[in-house]
Amino acid sequence: MAAATKEPSSASAGKRKRQENGDKSKKRRKSGGDEGVDLKAQLKQLEAEILESRKHYNNIATLLELAQKNDEDRPTAIAASETLCRVFVRLLAMGCLVERREASEKDATVTKWLRERLADFREVLLRMFNNEKLALPALLLAMSLLKVEAQHLDGRDQPAFPRYFFTQVIYFIIQSPVEQLREEFTEKFIDEFDDIRFYTFATISEFLRDPSADLDETVRAIIFNLLLNIDDVPSSNQDLDTFYIEPPITKKRHPVRSLSQHKSQAQDAWLALMQLGLSKDQRKKILSVMSNSIAPWFTNPELLMDFLTDCYNAGGSISLLALSGVFYLIQERNLDYPEFYTKLYSLLDADMLHSKHRSRFLRLLDTFLGSSHLPAVMVASFIKKLARLALNAPPSAIVAIVPWFYNLFKKHPLTTFMMHRVPRTEEEKQKIEEGGVEDVFLAWEKDPMETRAIESCLWEVVQLQGHWHPNVATIAKIISEQFTKQAYNVEDFLDHSYGSLFEAEMGKEIKKPPVVEFMIPKRVFTKVTEEEEKQGLKDSLVVGLWDFGTA
């Protein structure tokens, strides 16, 4: 057998070598197609070895290197991060990262090394917050790790909220360029869990008061929007029952379970932001939700007095928006605002009825003048001023104002003298017939108690009864008719616009076609010729007003 054995010839050896090279290239191509499968297998093997024996803990360093390939290989980075998260969750649950006094020097060294690698993994996840495609998975992994750390990192019987790691999470969320990351965090964590909301307020407050923090306009705008989206205010301690990390049970009530502590943290965060200064647009946003979403967070709403009164005194749309906040303090905290109605009266100007905040203002105005204890003289001033402004107001504003007049006349009967003032003596009648009537209303007077509106009459409403818009003319006539209706629901009229009025007209069923007479003109923008002039044709009104030149 040995003698019969022959060495392979050089030709057959070369052929076999080419075949082997071809097989290797095929394997390489195959492995390229199964790269994802190989990666999963590799990660699974690394994970299994780590959990199997301490001698394979160095695999954690390998996984960290793979997880840091954020820009080079994003799928690898995500897969390695998920594997690391599972590894550390298991190690934490097993107590491998708990520092124990009775541990040997070797065990203490291993524990210290694991805790350092855990810190490295946190940093890897936080850096992913700046990557648009990795930010959301990294957030979920970081919050999962946070929860397990609270339960097992310190080896305590009861979980302890990991403030240091959570502070880092909030800082990186604030400074991240990924807006969707903040939306995700707000929706899935702040809105869902009371303890996350509590510690978010506390962390933001600390961040804003940190002298070393970089608080440029972009960061302040991000914090502003983040706080503005936290608008679900609990009403009692019993509402604080949903926690991401269950707070420890102690003899004293834990701050997370206390509504007053929640409000205190929210108040500190908002005050810290306001002290840094707000832009005009930000003030408008705050004022628009002040009474419903911000003031209820304050344990001492009186701290908002300076901000609200400054905004109320600023004039324009800022004053209109500040009204609800000022009213909230007056109603809830007995704020004493001197000459409140004088300032309110000053807001009635030509721009108010054209403002996009008109409906909001009229709602508040209806509330402020709803008391029957107000002087009729002052109420008359508001009615008269609005009637005067209605002469140049859009139809959508007029259809809301007139029913409001009706309600005020019902609440304040002494003001009904303004509707129809008849001359009492023959001398007054003769004077009116000869020289007309001079309206005694002092439109320029700032004090609503001194305008003499109660001595005037609402001739403006009579003018509105001939308005070009049929809806306006119809509704204006309710002031001239008998007051048989108890009151109008002003809400039915406040949200009208040109579009809604137009749609209402187009939707009406025409029972009788209107009579329309017209003649198609031969010329619109040019003058008639001499022949046409001899025929009796004249230039159009357009040509008479404007000179369009000759062709």
Side-chain angles (χ1 to χ4, degrees):
M1 292 290 291
T5 304
K6 297 181 179 180
E7 294 184 0
S9 65
S10 60
S12 61
K15 185 176 180 181
R16 185 176 301 169
K17 189 172 183 181
R18 285 194 297 272
Q19 284 180 341
E20 290 176 357
N21 291 339
D23 292 340
K24 287 181 180 178
S25 64
K26 287 180 181 179
K27 287 181 180 179
R28 279 198 296 270
R29 287 195 295 270
K30 186 176 180 181
S31 65
D34 297 337
E35 185 178 352
V37 178
D38 290 347
L39 175 63
K40 289 182 180 178
Q42 179 189 3
L43 295 176
K44 189 174 181 180
Q45 181 180 357
L46 291 172
E47 179 183 355
E49 289 176 352
I50 293 170
L51 300 176
E52 179 184 347
S53 173
R54 294 171 59 176
K55 66 181 181 180
H56 296 296
Y57 278 177
N58 283 330
N59 289 355
I60 295 176
T62 305
L63 289 171
L64 283 170
E65 290 179 6
L66 294 173
Q68 290 174 11
K69 295 182 178 182
N70 295 351
D71 299 321
E72 303 171 12
D73 193 350
R74 289 171 183 168
T76 299
I78 293 175
S81 298
E82 291 174 349
T83 303
L84 275 169
C85 187
R86 290 195 299 270
V87 167
F88 278 114
V89 165
R90 290 286 299 275
L91 292 177
L92 284 164
M94 292 161 59
C96 297
L97 280 80
V98 177
E99 295 176 330
R100 307 180 190 278
R101 293 182 180 179
E102 66 277 8
S104 64
E105 183 178 351
K106 182 179 178 180
D107 291 342
T109 302
V110 172
T111 301
K112 181 181 178 182
W113 187 87
L114 286 174
R115 293 176 77 96
E116 289 173 353
R117 299 296 75 76
L118 176 62
D120 293 340
F121 179 48
R122 292 187 198 132
E123 189 176 345
V124 169
L125 291 177
L126 294 173
R127 282 203 301 268
M128 287 182 179
F129 285 7
N130 296 323
N131 189 307
E132 187 175 358
K133 294 186 178 180
L134 300 178
L136 299 187
L139 174 65
L140 298 179
L141 291 175
M143 294 304 292
S144 299
L145 191 62
L146 179 87
K147 188 169 188 175
V148 180
E149 282 189 23
Q151 296 170 339
H152 302 292
L153 183 60
D154 294 329
R156 299 177 182 176
D157 295 334
Q158 297 191 47
F161 198 93
R163 286 295 307 276
Y164 176 75
F165 184 27
F166 186 75
T167 299
Q168 287 183 309
V169 170
I170 296 296
Y171 282 14
F172 275 83
I173 286 175
I174 290 173
Q175 296 172 344
S176 171
V178 184
E179 181 61 31
Q180 191 179 357
L181 175 68
R182 286 180 283 277
E183 295 175 359
E184 185 85 357
F185 182 69
T186 302
E187 181 181 348
K188 291 191 175 180
F189 295 98
I190 295 179
D191 291 345
E192 292 293 326
F193 302 103
D194 297 318
D195 54 339
I196 297 295
R197 181 180 59 232
F198 176 88
Y199 289 112
T200 299
F201 278 133
T203 305
I204 288 176
S205 179
E206 294 170 1
F207 180 70
L208 292 172
R209 299 182 192 279
D210 184 0
S212 63
D214 183 14
L215 298 173
D216 56 19
E217 290 186 8
T218 303
V219 171
R220 279 185 282 175
I222 288 172
I223 294 175
F224 172 79
N225 291 326
L226 188 61
L227 289 176
L228 204 61
N229 290 328
I230 308 176
D231 53 2
D232 187 13
V233 185
S235 57
S236 65
N237 290 333
Q238 285 69 32
D239 293 337
L240 303 174
D241 57 359
T242 307
F243 304 108
Y244 190 67
I245 298 170
E246 194 70 24
I249 300 174
T250 58
K251 293 181 179 179
K252 291 184 178 180
R253 183 185 294 273
H254 194 277
V256 174
R257 299 181 185 272
S258 170
L259 179 60
S260 62
Q261 290 294 326
H262 267 260
K263 290 188 173 184
S264 179
Q265 297 295 341
Q267 175 179 282
D268 289 345
W270 273 113
L271 289 176
L273 181 62
M274 289 179 181
Q275 289 170 2
L276 294 175
L278 300 170
S279 65
K280 186 176 180 180
D281 290 338
Q282 288 174 342
R283 281 189 291 166
K284 285 184 176 181
K285 287 182 180 179
I286 283 182
L287 293 171
S288 64
V289 297
M290 175 63 75
S291 57
N292 295 325
S293 302
I294 298 178
W297 277 118
F298 277 61
T299 54
N300 297 315
E302 296 84 355
L303 296 173
L304 292 169
M305 286 182 182
D306 291 340
F307 173 77
L308 288 173
T309 52
D310 288 345
C311 292
Y312 189 48
N313 294 330
S317 59
I318 294 273
S319 293
L320 294 180
L321 292 171
L323 261 179
S324 57
V326 172
F327 178 68
Y328 175 85
L329 293 182
I330 292 174
Q331 188 179 42
E332 299 293 331
R333 296 290 173 169
N334 297 320
L335 170 66
D336 184 17
Y337 189 95
E339 300 182 350
F340 173 76
Y341 283 95
T342 301
K343 179 61 182 177
L344 183 64
Y345 183 73
S346 69
L347 297 179
L348 299 177
D349 56 20
D351 297 329
M352 189 274 295
L353 294 181
H354 295 268
S355 170
K356 65 179 181 180
H357 305 296
R358 178 187 67 224
S359 298
R360 181 192 185 96
F361 176 75
L362 291 176
R363 285 187 182 95
L364 291 171
L365 197 61
D366 184 43
T367 303
F368 298 146
L369 298 178
S371 174
S372 58
H373 299 291
L374 294 174
V377 174
M378 185 174 67
V379 176
S381 296
F382 280 90
I383 294 174
K384 181 66 177 179
K385 186 70 175 285
L386 273 174
R388 184 68 59 86
L389 293 174
L391 294 175
N392 295 312
S396 54
I398 302 173
V399 297
I401 290 172
V402 175
W404 184 69
F405 287 166
Y406 183 100
N407 293 347
L408 284 181
F409 285 137
K410 294 285 286 186
K411 290 179 182 177
H412 305 275
L414 290 178
T415 60
T416 55
F417 292 105
M418 301 170 64
M419 288 190 294
H420 185 65
R421 193 174 295 280
V422 181
R424 298 180 181 179
T425 63
E426 288 295 329
E427 294 178 359
E428 289 181 1
K429 186 176 181 180
Q430 184 178 358
K431 185 178 179 180
I432 292 173
E433 291 175 353
E434 293 176 358
V437 178
E438 181 180 356
D439 197 340
V440 297
F441 173 64
L442 304 177
W444 46 265
E445 176 61 51
K446 296 181 179 180
D447 188 352
M449 298 296 290
E450 303 293 336
T451 61
R452 299 180 64 186
I454 195 72
E455 303 173 25
S456 180
C457 63
L458 291 180
W459 58 266
E460 296 90 349
V461 176
V462 178
Q463 293 295 107
L464 294 176
Q465 291 174 359
H467 197 275
W468 62 267
H469 197 291
N471 288 0
V472 175
T474 301
I475 204 165
K477 292 176 182 177
I478 65 173
I479 304 298
S480 301
E481 299 171 354
Q482 295 215 355
F483 279 31
T484 56
K485 191 176 181 67
Q486 184 64 29
Y488 282 92
N489 184 8
V490 181
E491 286 292 332
D492 295 339
F493 303 93
L494 286 177
D495 294 324
H496 276 300
S497 62
Y498 276 113
S500 63
L501 292 174
F502 179 77
E503 290 176 3
E505 286 297 314
M506 294 298 293
K508 287 182 179 179
E509 182 180 353
I510 301 177
K511 297 180 181 179
K512 183 179 180 181
V515 178
V516 179
E517 182 179 354
F518 67 93
M519 180 181 66
I520 300 176
K522 293 183 178 180
R523 297 176 182 274
V524 178
F525 299 106
T526 57
K527 295 183 178 181
V528 298
T529 62
E530 293 181 0
E531 295 180 0
E532 292 172 338
E533 192 173 357
K534 291 178 182 179
Q535 297 175 4
L537 297 177
K538 296 182 180 181
D539 291 334
S540 67
L541 179 61
V542 175
V543 176
L545 294 174
W546 290 281
D547 182 10
F548 294 95
T550 56

